Amino acid sequence: MPQVEIRKRLISVEEIFHEGGPRANKPLRRVAGLVVIRNPFAGRYVEHIVDFMDDLKPIGLALAQDMVKALGGDRSIVEGYGKGAIVGSAGEIEHGALWHAPGGYAMREVLGDSKAIVPSTKKVGGPGARLDVPVTHINASYVRSHFDAIEIGIPDSPRADEMLLALVMTTGSRIHNRAGGLAAADIKGEDGLR
């Protein structure tokens, strides 16, 4: 398979202190890790692309490790995660689907024994395209307090022959969450759902 060519990376950390209500005792921290790579399949249809997932694994692992470092180095504070991809206009949405396994497994490896599926989204777009990456709790997808999304993007990316790959992590529930449902403290951890 082709060599992965990285043009740029971005790690950003957001801290949320309140959403109009009382100030939180501890701010919610949300980190996004983005990497822009050349799309080796841009401009043509290639039948066999699945092996490129193996080439993306080291990128996912390095990105997830750097995101935990950006949060202070303690992986145990991460409670939510998600992933996404924006494929440049000379590519196809299936190229973004190649990020599913390497991005998800990278976060699971770095975070330890997380049980919930890593939610994902993808689309085709041009430079400056934005993507709302869904977030759920790392151990139980039904924990409503952690349903969230992080908007990602880079102004000059992706170019037509590129892909922007993203991972996101959060340190807790939405600030002022009061939508009910399964509480994080009540997770059974049996199936990644509850």
Side-chain angles (χ1 to χ4, degrees):
M1 291 303 320
Q3 189 87 357
V4 178
E5 296 177 31
I6 298 174
R7 181 166 69 87
K8 62 168 59 181
R9 287 177 13 123
L10 171 70
I11 306 270
S12 67
V13 178
E14 173 185 26
E15 290 184 302
I16 303 172
F17 297 94
H18 69 85
E19 293 286 354
R23 188 174 178 89
N25 293 329
K26 187 167 103 178
L28 170 64
R29 298 177 74 205
R30 304 182 339 156
V31 61
L34 286 65
V35 62
V36 178
I37 66 168
R38 185 182 69 79
N39 181 351
F41 312 113
R44 60 199 169 95
Y45 180 82
V46 177
E47 181 65 34
H48 185 76
I49 60 175
V50 71
D51 291 340
F52 193 58
M53 286 193 289
D54 289 335
D55 298 323
L56 294 175
K57 285 179 182 177
I59 290 174
L61 193 56
L63 201 56
Q65 290 167 336
D66 288 346
M67 292 165 66
V68 169
K69 286 179 194 168
L71 290 172
D74 180 4
R75 71 182 188 178
S76 71
I77 67 169
V78 176
E79 294 184 17
Y81 56 21
K83 62 186 182 297
I86 306 174
V87 179
S89 62
E92 59 178 284
I93 197 133
E94 194 65 13
H95 302 159
L98 296 174
W99 185 234
H100 282 302
Y105 287 120
M107 284 194 291
R108 287 173 188 233
E109 182 174 331
V110 168
L111 296 177
D113 62 354
S114 56
K115 301 202 177 358
I117 191 167
V118 182
S120 180
T121 190
K122 59 199 159 302
K123 72 179 190 179
V124 173
R130 308 294 291 178
L131 185 70
D132 289 336
V133 178
V135 175
T136 59
H137 194 282
I138 65 171
N139 288 318
S141 295
Y142 288 179
V143 176
R144 208 175 293 158
S145 60
H146 287 60
F147 292 175
D148 204 349
I150 299 174
E151 184 183 29
I152 61 96
I154 297 177
D156 70 347
S157 303
R159 296 174 180 166
D161 65 345
E162 293 179 332
M163 291 191 283
L164 187 158
L165 307 174
L167 300 178
V168 299
M169 298 176 188
T170 66
T171 61
S173 65
R174 296 179 315 278
I175 297 291
H176 310 315
N177 85 83
R178 25 192 212 286
L182 177 65
D186 296 330
I187 293 172
K188 293 182 180 169
E190 297 167 355
D191 58 7
L193 299 175
R194 296 183 175 85

